[in-house]
Amino acid sequence: MSVPINFVREIVEEDLKTAKFSGRVHTRFPPEPNGYLHIGHAKSICLNYGIARDYQGKFNLRFDDTNPSKEEQEYVDSIIEDVRWLGADWQERLFYASDYFAPMYEYAEQLIKKGKAYVCDLTSEQIRQYRGTLTQPGKESPYRSRSLEENLDLFRRMRVGEFPDGSKVLRAKIDMNHPNLNMRDPVLYRILRATHHRTGDKWCIYPMYDWAHGIEDSLEGITHSICTLEFENHRPLYDWFLQELGVYHPRQIEFARLNLSHTVLSKRKLLELVNGRYVDGWDDPRMPTLSGLRRRGYTASAIRGFCETIGVAKFNSIIDLVVLENSLREELNKTAPRAMAVLKPLKILITNYPENQIEELDAVNNPEDASAGTRKVPFSRMLYIEQDDFREHPPAKFFRLAPGQEVRLRYAYFITCREVIKNEKGDIVEVRCTYDPATRGGDAPDRRKVKGTIHWVSAAHAINAPVRLYDNLFNIRNPDDVAEGVDYKVNLNPQSREVIEKACLEPGLKTAAPGSRFQFERLGYFFADPKDSLPGKPVFNRTVTLRDTWAKIERAEKK
Ligand code: ATP
Ligand code: MG
């Protein structure tokens, strides 16, 4: 599979040509373990891993675990599982930023000794005020002129825990008038007594992201440090730190993060949806997380295909969810075996079909793949079809079953509706039809045509199973598009999940393996939920609908 060239790959190729990094390519994916990975992270993983793979380079998985207050082992485990599932291979190079806390500390002392860092006693609020704004210069901290000895002494005492949390920080001494706010004496270390998921209580000072990240990249010999656009104006700082330390210096390149329509891709918001029980957890099939998409039935290859399709650019945009869905449809159309299932059953009695007769009819497993062969499906006098496939008073161009109208039952016979049976409330409870025995297999010897083909299952043979239908998690394209003071959660779609407790499935689906995928004809692609399915008792999630013409007709009818 060849990946189209993009501007990041162009830079890598240029650097290979000029031997900037002696012909090496080494990328990394640096998640902070403060949440589960989402489809945006997949874009970053595919980009970083794809470059390493295609230019005979290396790829590291590195946990950027410098903020103990939000990080947990559960997230580390899930991230490892997700990156592996996507197919990115870090070989033996799994790293943790926390493993570099000691060298990071040493580097900080070096900066102090160079006169390029100082201990500051301003509160975080004061630091913010002193920083100034884009239009106003900053103000120097009164602690900026401390001597090297005093700074070194205070910093060492910060480390051993002599000062309370938040009472002091270590800052770089750069330029309080710098046009780039990130260069106005940024904080390198803060005091925080929090137990780290890996280093425990060994440290009570923790490095800030900008300080830590460049050192991590440098220590690992990363050549191209690829990150999202928000870090573009952090690059001068990234470069400043590495230059001042005089260490190996990777090249930072920024690209546009993925935004996907009808969902949110911020870990903070996803965490809020989980904690507030708006969804059933990080792997709820409606979530844009990799674990959610996996549970919905997405394949890793469809997600990789999606990441290639959308490309890599320098400007932010919102990609339509349909692009992701189409990537999966295209794949499953080729690979998913077909089956018949009726979600909302309507009883059909074929009055001229012999009582007690059962036929085993041949059904094609996959019209896109002849090698998938055929299977037998039982046919009998009493069937179920979808309620939607029958109308007592059909609108124009309704080609499915209606009084007096003939349709084809997929792989079976032509039937004609003769009578509608209602209960005392007036609800339709059964439709009586006749069949034409000469049309076995679905074709009439006299070549007469029917305009509609519908799916069915034999009532006596059908198995019942729960089927869950999903819709977009949010009602609008950009859920963050809200008036000031309004919460994005007002845009949650209250109908994002519909559970059908007893769908009627063709009997062969009884043994569907958890984690297997099917196309239920005319209904979409379905996935046997690996968590909720039991042997002989599958539970299905609809992964994605088919794009079918019925949907259009139905919509037109509703208008
Ligand atoms: P937060 O939402 O908390 O700011 P984050 O999504 O940036 O966090 P990280 O764990 O820092 O989370 O991300 C790991 C890597 O994935 C980073 O290199 C980041 O640039 C990249 N990344 C995160 N979100 C996206 C996205 N939507 N599209 C592309 N890359 C992303
Ligand atoms: Mg981040």
Side-chain angles (χ1 to χ4, degrees), residues 304-365:
R304 290 193 300 263
F306 166 74
C307 292
E308 269 167 38
T309 308
I310 57 174
V312 178
K314 258 301 210 208
F315 49 87
N316 283 310
S317 63
I318 299 182
I319 304 286
D320 211 285
L321 189 55
V322 171
V323 181
L324 176 62
E325 292 178 346
N326 281 346
S327 173
L328 186 71
R329 285 187 180 110
E330 209 176 294
E331 176 178 323
L332 293 184
N333 181 43
K334 295 185 204 123
T335 58
R338 274 48 170 179
M340 290 199 286
V342 173
L343 301 183
K344 295 181 182 162
L346 172 66
K347 204 181 269 180
I348 299 287
L349 184 74
I350 301 176
T351 53
N352 62 338
Y353 193 85
E355 260 179 84
N356 304 323
Q357 178 171 307
I358 295 160
E359 283 177 275
E360 294 285 337
L361 302 177
D362 290 314
V364 174
N365 284 331

Side-chain angles (χ1 to χ4, degrees), residues 294-310:
R294 180 163 64 234
R295 198 152 166 221
R296 176 84 165 249
Y298 271 83
T299 59
S301 47
I303 291 176
R304 290 193 300 263
F306 166 74
C307 292
E308 269 167 38
T309 308
I310 57 174

Side-chain angles (χ1 to χ4, degrees), residues 268-532:
R268 181 182 64 75
K269 289 179 183 155
L270 295 174
L271 178 66
E272 190 183 0
L273 295 178
V274 171
N275 287 344
R277 299 190 181 274
Y278 297 94
V279 293
D280 287 343
W282 287 99
D283 69 347
D284 185 302
R286 292 167 292 182
M287 290 281 271
T289 50
L290 295 182
S291 51
L293 291 167
R294 180 163 64 234
R295 198 152 166 221
R296 176 84 165 249
Y298 271 83
T299 59
S301 47
I303 291 176
R304 290 193 300 263
F306 166 74
C307 292
E308 269 167 38
T309 308
I310 57 174
V312 178
K314 258 301 210 208
F315 49 87
N316 283 310
S317 63
I318 299 182
I319 304 286
D320 211 285
L321 189 55
V322 171
V323 181
L324 176 62
E325 292 178 346
N326 281 346
S327 173
L328 186 71
R329 285 187 180 110
E330 209 176 294
E331 176 178 323
L332 293 184
N333 181 43
K334 295 185 204 123
T335 58
R338 274 48 170 179
M340 290 199 286
V342 173
L343 301 183
K344 295 181 182 162
L346 172 66
K347 204 181 269 180
I348 299 287
L349 184 74
I350 301 176
T351 53
N352 62 338
Y353 193 85
E355 260 179 84
N356 304 323
Q357 178 171 307
I358 295 160
E359 283 177 275
E360 294 285 337
L361 302 177
D362 290 314
V364 174
N365 284 331
N366 188 344
E368 303 287 321
D369 175 10
S371 72
T374 59
R375 68 188 184 286
K376 298 285 185 193
V377 287
F379 186 88
S380 66
R381 193 165 189 256
M382 182 85 85
L383 310 171
Y384 292 126
I385 66 165
E386 296 290 346
Q387 289 167 14
D388 273 353
D389 283 337
F390 175 77
R391 286 281 190 291
E392 191 180 10
H393 305 289
K397 296 198 178 161
F398 182 83
F399 299 126
R400 292 168 274 168
L401 198 63
Q405 203 155 296
E406 187 171 51
V407 294
R408 175 190 291 111
L409 292 178
R410 183 87 158 138
Y411 306 122
Y413 294 100
F414 288 8
I415 58 169
T416 305
C417 170
R418 304 292 178 189
E419 190 185 357
V420 179
I421 311 290
K422 296 182 179 176
N423 63 15
E424 56 284 3
K425 282 188 281 175
D427 305 326
I428 300 171
V429 292
E430 183 180 311
V431 170
R432 298 204 170 150
C433 299
T434 55
Y435 84 121
D436 177 355
T439 56
R440 191 176 200 265
D443 282 306
D446 63 2
R447 303 241 164 109
R448 107 180 158 268
K449 297 275 182 232
V450 287
K451 281 200 166 149
T453 299
I454 64 177
H455 63 276
W456 53 275
V457 292
S458 165
H461 301 87
I463 62 149
N464 287 136
V467 172
R468 303 181 289 214
L469 307 179
Y470 296 103
D471 197 353
N472 296 341
L473 187 52
F474 288 90
N475 274 322
I476 61 169
R477 201 175 139 73
N478 178 7
D480 288 321
D481 189 9
V482 282
E484 193 153 337
V486 177
D487 189 274
Y488 71 98
K489 294 196 293 303
V490 299
N491 293 317
L492 276 166
N493 174 9
Q495 266 109 42
S496 59
R497 177 174 56 192
E498 180 186 355
V499 180
I500 293 166
E501 291 300 342
K502 282 189 175 176
C504 300
L505 316 183
E506 70 170 71
L509 288 171
K510 188 174 166 66
T511 53
S516 54
R517 296 177 177 82
F518 299 88
Q519 184 196 102
F520 290 176
E521 295 211 21
R522 299 176 60 229
L523 298 174
Y525 294 100
F526 290 75
F527 182 58
D529 190 304
K531 243 185 183 173
D532 296 335

Side-chain angles (χ1 to χ4, degrees), residues 61-107:
L61 174 57
R62 178 208 310 150
F63 287 100
D64 211 335
D65 56 350
T66 52
N67 180 5
S69 53
K70 291 185 186 161
E71 296 163 2
E72 289 173 27
Q73 188 60 37
E74 176 195 346
Y75 299 138
V76 170
D77 296 339
S78 77
I79 289 169
I80 289 176
E81 185 185 356
D82 289 350
V83 178
R84 189 172 283 144
W85 178 70
L86 257 191
D89 184 3
W90 58 88
Q91 299 172 322
E92 72 291 347
R93 289 179 305 279
L94 172 61
F95 299 119
Y96 293 85
S98 54
D99 287 343
Y100 313 137
F101 281 168
M104 278 176 201
Y105 175 85
E106 294 304 324
Y107 282 133

Side-chain angles (χ1 to χ4, degrees), residues 62-357:
R62 178 208 310 150
F63 287 100
D64 211 335
D65 56 350
T66 52
N67 180 5
S69 53
K70 291 185 186 161
E71 296 163 2
E72 289 173 27
Q73 188 60 37
E74 176 195 346
Y75 299 138
V76 170
D77 296 339
S78 77
I79 289 169
I80 289 176
E81 185 185 356
D82 289 350
V83 178
R84 189 172 283 144
W85 178 70
L86 257 191
D89 184 3
W90 58 88
Q91 299 172 322
E92 72 291 347
R93 289 179 305 279
L94 172 61
F95 299 119
Y96 293 85
S98 54
D99 287 343
Y100 313 137
F101 281 168
M104 278 176 201
Y105 175 85
E106 294 304 324
Y107 282 133
E109 286 208 354
Q110 270 184 42
L111 269 198
I112 295 172
K113 288 173 192 158
K114 270 187 88 178
K116 299 288 176 139
Y118 62 98
V119 172
C120 182
D121 297 2
L122 292 181
T123 64
S124 57
E125 183 48 41
Q126 286 169 322
I127 289 178
R128 219 185 344 264
Q129 282 163 5
Y130 278 52
R131 185 177 297 132
T133 64
L134 283 174
T135 49
Q136 279 179 324
K139 204 166 86 182
E140 291 189 353
S141 160
Y143 305 99
R144 203 173 194 261
S145 50
R146 277 177 167 154
S147 69
L148 298 191
E149 295 70 32
E150 188 183 4
N151 280 321
L152 205 52
D153 173 62
L154 289 173
F155 186 51
R156 287 177 179 163
R157 287 163 62 196
M158 277 169 66
R159 179 193 183 166
V160 295
E162 283 191 26
F163 308 114
D165 284 10
S167 61
K168 289 186 184 350
V169 293
L170 183 72
R171 299 176 71 175
K173 195 189 257 188
I174 307 181
D175 178 0
M176 288 309 289
N177 291 320
H178 202 285
N180 183 334
L181 296 181
N182 294 316
M183 300 295 275
R184 295 185 186 172
D185 291 9
V187 173
L188 309 191
Y189 274 94
R190 61 200 170 127
I191 306 173
L192 177 70
R193 283 167 182 81
T195 303
H196 187 280
H197 65 103
R198 296 193 83 239
T199 57
D201 296 318
K202 184 163 178 226
W203 294 87
C204 65
I205 56 170
Y206 287 97
M208 303 302 287
Y209 178 87
D210 283 323
W211 167 246
H213 203 81
I215 295 176
E216 295 158 22
D217 284 344
S218 177
L219 288 170
E220 291 178 13
I222 300 301
T223 56
H224 299 85
S225 176
I226 303 167
C227 60
T228 42
L229 281 183
E230 324 77 276
F231 291 100
E232 194 162 23
N233 57 14
H234 293 244
R235 184 168 9 110
L237 184 54
Y238 182 96
D239 290 337
W240 188 90
F241 284 142
L242 297 178
Q243 247 147 31
E244 290 299 331
L245 294 173
V247 294
Y248 167 76
H249 194 151
R251 175 173 188 168
Q252 177 178 309
I253 305 168
E254 309 87 14
F255 70 102
R257 67 194 293 124
L258 169 69
N259 298 302
L260 193 62
S261 76
H262 301 93
T263 194
V264 290
L265 295 182
S266 134
K267 283 194 271 188
R268 181 182 64 75
K269 289 179 183 155
L270 295 174
L271 178 66
E272 190 183 0
L273 295 178
V274 171
N275 287 344
R277 299 190 181 274
Y278 297 94
V279 293
D280 287 343
W282 287 99
D283 69 347
D284 185 302
R286 292 167 292 182
M287 290 281 271
T289 50
L290 295 182
S291 51
L293 291 167
R294 180 163 64 234
R295 198 152 166 221
R296 176 84 165 249
Y298 271 83
T299 59
S301 47
I303 291 176
R304 290 193 300 263
F306 166 74
C307 292
E308 269 167 38
T309 308
I310 57 174
V312 178
K314 258 301 210 208
F315 49 87
N316 283 310
S317 63
I318 299 182
I319 304 286
D320 211 285
L321 189 55
V322 171
V323 181
L324 176 62
E325 292 178 346
N326 281 346
S327 173
L328 186 71
R329 285 187 180 110
E330 209 176 294
E331 176 178 323
L332 293 184
N333 181 43
K334 295 185 204 123
T335 58
R338 274 48 170 179
M340 290 199 286
V342 173
L343 301 183
K344 295 181 182 162
L346 172 66
K347 204 181 269 180
I348 299 287
L349 184 74
I350 301 176
T351 53
N352 62 338
Y353 193 85
E355 260 179 84
N356 304 323
Q357 178 171 307

